[in-house]
Amino acid sequence: MWSIQNLLFIFCISLRCVTSAVGMIHVTGYVGREVNVSCSYDQSYVSHEKYLCNNDCGNSDVLITTSQASKTKYSIYDDTSARIFTTTIFNLQSTDAGKYWCGVTRTGADIYTEVKLKSVKDSCCDTVTKVQSYEGHSESVSCQYESQYQNSLKYICRGNRPSTCLQQALITSDTKQNARFRLDDDKVLGKFTVNISNLTRNDSGSYLCGVHRNSELDVFSAIELKIEEWCCVKSTKINGTAGHPLTLQCPYPPQHWDNRKFLCKGDHRDNCSDMVTSRSRFTLQDDAASSSFTVRITELEAADGGTYWCGSDSQWRVGNYTKIELSVFLQHTRKIPDAALYVLYTVPPVLLLMCLLVTVYKNRSSRVNEADDTMIRNTPKEKNIEEVMGAAESGIYKNQEVVMTYVQQKVCKDGGGDEGVYEIMTAVAKEDIYCNENFHKANTR
């Protein structure tokens, strides 16, 4: 008997599945996020218990009921006025995908509605449209959609997480304008355009264009926006000297030949003062043939240093201006190149050292020359002395021979003794030595 009832119950469920196949509920959720499964019921079942189950929907397959309210993985809410009960599945995983049943208890067989749950990654998209612009400019991004979504809600958000895009939308087709963002929907062409004004570097990043669908996941297209720093035709640094004139050169696109040319000073182009109209020292001359204009400053002042912007378009579109960094030096403080500083500090010591070496060399040469002169002057005297000394010695020897001859003759003649000979020799020798000494002194003088 119980086996027959079980068979009938299973048959009832199977029959319900078959008969409700046309009304099958398709639900898709993002992995890691929550997903809602909503099921409707008749007015007669407002007070009946509702539940969500899977597999064969046996007692062990019931995931949550309205009498339990909530669990860790699931929660359920019954909106009796709308006759819809909604089950929320938290932290959806790919393993959660599959078949579910919305059940309504009643006497006899319960009422079931089949639910097909699908899980997808919370990211988008395989194709990305890249858009590049510049800070301070306005840029428009276009998002295509299919004709069946003409009346659907359109929106745009930052990032690439579809699950939270609508909640974090920067603007929608319902609001149309929100601060720097404006949305225009062209239903004929099947696209909506979002314009972003006064771009900044912080606007760079990923964006998602979304089209809302009630029964399925929203449709998205991805955009990568890159905002670059406002660039210039030419950026240069110029040095000038206070009290002297200076000419600044500013090229511009040939198509701007008839535009008003200007030069303004300030740290940023959006906040600078026109120097040509406000200062008499600044004069501008346009040369359309060379697609450039010059600004002459008659007499530079120290306060003229800073950032200048010269252009030919008051809208400051890219490619029509020059940025100049001007530095003004006083005449006595003008910057000296490194090479000149090297020469300035290196050459004088080298020259001084060379001068000292030359002086020492001259002093030594002078002393050597004096010594040579002294030696030359003294050489004749030394020769004279040698001659005198030689003559003296020669004289002594000659006198000695004379004396000896005289003594011999005296002895032979007189026959004197030894004493007489000695006395004679001594007297003669003394006299001769004295004479030679006087002669030597005379020659020395």
Side-chain angles (χ1 to χ4, degrees):
M1 184 68 180
W2 280 103
S3 61
I4 295 175
Q5 288 180 350
N6 290 337
L7 289 173
L8 288 174
F9 178 73
I10 294 173
F11 174 76
C12 181
I13 293 177
S14 301
L15 182 63
R16 181 63 180 174
C17 291
V18 173
T19 57
S20 65
V22 176
M24 181 185 297
I25 299 173
H26 293 272
V27 178
T28 305
Y30 295 104
V31 173
R33 308 297 297 178
E34 61 185 46
V35 63
N36 293 323
V37 179
S38 297
C39 304
S40 60
Y41 55 86
D42 293 337
Q43 178 67 38
S44 56
Y45 301 116
V46 170
S47 60
H48 290 224
E49 186 180 50
K50 289 85 177 178
Y51 57 91
L52 182 72
C53 61
N54 59 7
N55 299 326
D56 293 332
C57 221
N59 290 334
S60 61
D61 297 325
V62 175
L63 303 175
I64 191 171
T65 67
T66 52
S67 60
Q68 293 175 306
S70 65
K71 290 183 178 180
T72 303
K73 179 74 172 179
Y74 308 95
S75 70
I76 192 168
Y77 170 72
D78 185 9
D79 186 351
T80 56
S81 59
R83 300 192 306 277
I84 295 175
F85 71 95
T86 301
T87 303
T88 301
I89 304 175
F90 300 102
N91 191 24
L92 183 67
Q93 301 298 315
S94 57
T95 55
D96 293 327
K99 184 186 294 185
Y100 291 81
W101 302 93
C102 285
V104 179
T105 59
R106 66 174 182 175
T107 303
D110 294 347
I111 301 174
Y112 296 95
T113 302
E114 185 180 359
V115 178
K116 187 64 175 293
L117 177 61
K118 181 181 178 181
S119 63
V120 296
K121 293 182 179 180
D122 190 12
S123 61
C124 182
C125 303
D126 294 335
T127 302
V128 179
T129 301
K130 295 184 178 181
V131 179
Q132 180 176 322
S133 190
Y134 299 90
E135 60 178 349
H137 288 205
S138 296
E139 191 63 44
S140 296
V141 294
S142 297
C143 310
Q144 300 285 339
Y145 59 85
E146 297 180 4
S147 58
Q148 66 264 33
Y149 303 126
Q150 286 184 352
N151 298 321
S152 300
L153 181 72
K154 287 87 177 180
Y155 57 94
I156 190 170
C157 68
R158 294 203 64 166
N160 62 349
R161 297 188 64 179
S163 63
T164 58
C165 189
L166 181 57
Q167 293 88 335
Q168 300 175 358
L170 299 170
I171 191 173
T172 69
S173 55
D174 289 341
T175 56
K176 295 187 180 299
Q177 182 76 40
N178 181 20
R180 296 185 298 120
F181 297 85
R182 187 183 75 251
L183 190 151
D184 297 311
D185 187 8
D186 189 339
K187 297 181 179 181
V188 176
L189 296 178
K191 69 176 182 178
F192 68 94
T193 302
V194 177
N195 181 271
I196 309 173
S197 61
N198 194 23
L199 289 166
T200 66
R201 299 289 294 278
N202 293 331
D203 291 322
S204 296
S206 300
Y207 291 79
L208 290 180
C209 294
V211 178
H212 183 61
R213 298 190 296 182
N214 294 324
S215 59
E216 299 179 70
L217 290 179
D218 294 353
V219 180
F220 295 98
S221 58
I223 295 174
E224 186 71 24
L225 180 60
K226 183 178 181 180
I227 307 301
E228 294 185 349
E229 184 180 3
W230 200 61
C231 188
C232 54
V233 170
K234 183 179 180 181
S235 183
T236 184
K237 294 182 179 180
I238 297 178
N239 296 332
T241 304
H244 290 247
L246 181 68
T247 300
L248 306 178
Q249 190 78 20
C250 302
Y252 59 82
Q255 62 268 27
H256 294 160
W257 65 273
D258 60 344
N259 288 9
R260 185 183 76 87
K261 315 305 187 299
F262 57 90
L263 176 75
C264 65
K265 181 183 180 182
D267 292 335
H268 198 274
R269 58 184 173 78
D270 289 337
N271 184 21
C272 59
S273 303
D274 194 329
M275 303 300 291
V276 177
T277 58
S278 62
R279 303 290 177 88
S280 59
R281 294 183 297 110
F282 291 71
T283 56
L284 186 150
Q285 184 175 358
D286 188 11
D287 184 6
S290 63
S291 297
S292 66
F293 66 91
T294 59
V295 176
R296 178 179 172 80
I297 308 174
T298 56
E299 187 175 348
L300 276 176
E301 297 177 358
D304 292 331
T307 304
Y308 289 82
W309 310 82
C310 46
S312 57
D313 182 5
S314 58
Q315 298 299 317
W316 290 109
R317 284 183 282 267
V318 174
N320 49 33
Y321 76 98
T322 297
K323 178 182 178 181
I324 299 175
E325 296 288 348
L326 176 61
S327 299
V328 179
F329 299 97
L330 300 178
Q331 290 186 355
H332 62 278
T333 61
R334 184 163 185 175
K335 185 178 180 181
I336 301 175
D338 293 340
L341 288 174
Y342 177 79
V343 173
L344 180 62
Y345 289 108
T346 305
V347 171
V350 173
L351 292 176
L352 179 60
L353 179 60
M354 292 177 64
C355 291
L356 291 174
L357 292 174
V358 170
T359 302
V360 171
Y361 176 76
K362 287 184 176 180
N363 288 337
R364 289 186 176 180
S365 298
S366 177
R367 291 178 181 178
V368 171
N369 291 335
E370 289 178 359
D372 291 343
D373 293 341
T374 303
M375 291 178 64
I376 293 171
R377 287 195 303 269
N378 292 335
T379 300
K381 289 184 179 182
E382 292 175 356
K383 290 182 178 180
N384 293 334
I385 293 173
E386 291 177 357
E387 292 176 354
V388 171
M389 292 298 294
E393 292 175 355
S394 177
I396 292 173
Y397 296 143
K398 288 180 180 179
N399 290 333
Q400 185 177 4
E401 292 177 357
V402 172
V403 171
M404 292 301 295
T405 303
Y406 173 78
V407 171
Q408 290 176 359
Q409 292 176 357
K410 186 73 175 175
V411 170
C412 292
K413 183 177 181 180
D414 297 334
D418 294 337
E419 291 181 0
V421 174
Y422 177 76
E423 289 175 356
I424 293 171
M425 291 180 65
T426 302
V428 172
K430 287 181 178 181
E431 183 177 356
D432 289 343
I433 291 171
Y434 177 75
C435 291
N436 289 332
E437 183 180 357
N438 290 335
F439 175 77
H440 174 69
K441 288 183 178 180
N443 286 334
T444 303
R445 291 174 185 172

